[in-house]
Amino acid sequence: MSTYTLPQSTVAGGLAVDLDRPLIAADDSRWTWTGSRDNTGMPLVQTAEGAPVRLSLVYAIRGPLIAAPRPVSAAERHAALTAFTRPGPHDPTPRTVAQLLSRLHRRAA
């Protein structure tokens, strides 16, 4: 994983950026790391059709950058869809709901 922390002297000082993933700016432009840096060590990023630009300049002009979401795997999708099908020890069941309603009805009478 290649991360770069922007220096405190830049607009987003202290922000760590994951250079291995495509980046999305606030204006919805997409940027990728070219794999190279300028003479100060700042990573160079570019759009699909543009020339390489300093990462700090993109952040200052285009707004905050976030890593593009990665694709969801089949295992993650399955885990999300089946997570709530198995009741936990404190999840209400129809029986516990009926018992609660019965107790409330007796208190109200």
Side-chain angles (χ1 to χ4, degrees), residues 7-90:
Q8 292 296 335
S9 61
T10 62
V11 174
L15 175 76
V17 179
D18 183 2
L19 299 173
D20 290 333
R21 293 173 61 184
L23 302 169
I24 302 173
D27 66 354
D28 204 33
S29 59
R30 295 181 181 260
W31 300 83
T32 55
W33 182 38
T34 62
S36 58
R37 299 171 187 265
D38 67 3
N39 58 355
T40 65
M42 180 68 64
L44 298 174
V45 294
Q46 69 183 36
T47 60
E49 64 277 348
V53 180
R54 292 173 49 104
L55 176 65
S56 59
L57 182 62
V58 172
Y59 193 96
I61 294 173
R62 302 288 184 134
L65 297 166
I66 60 168
R70 61 179 176 76
V72 177
S73 70
E76 291 170 330
R77 191 176 299 114
H78 177 72
L81 293 173
T82 60
F84 300 107
T85 59
R86 291 173 252 139
H90 302 292

Side-chain angles (χ1 to χ4, degrees), residues 102-109:
S102 176
R103 282 191 307 226
L104 291 173
H105 181 39
R106 278 182 285 184
R107 285 186 189 173

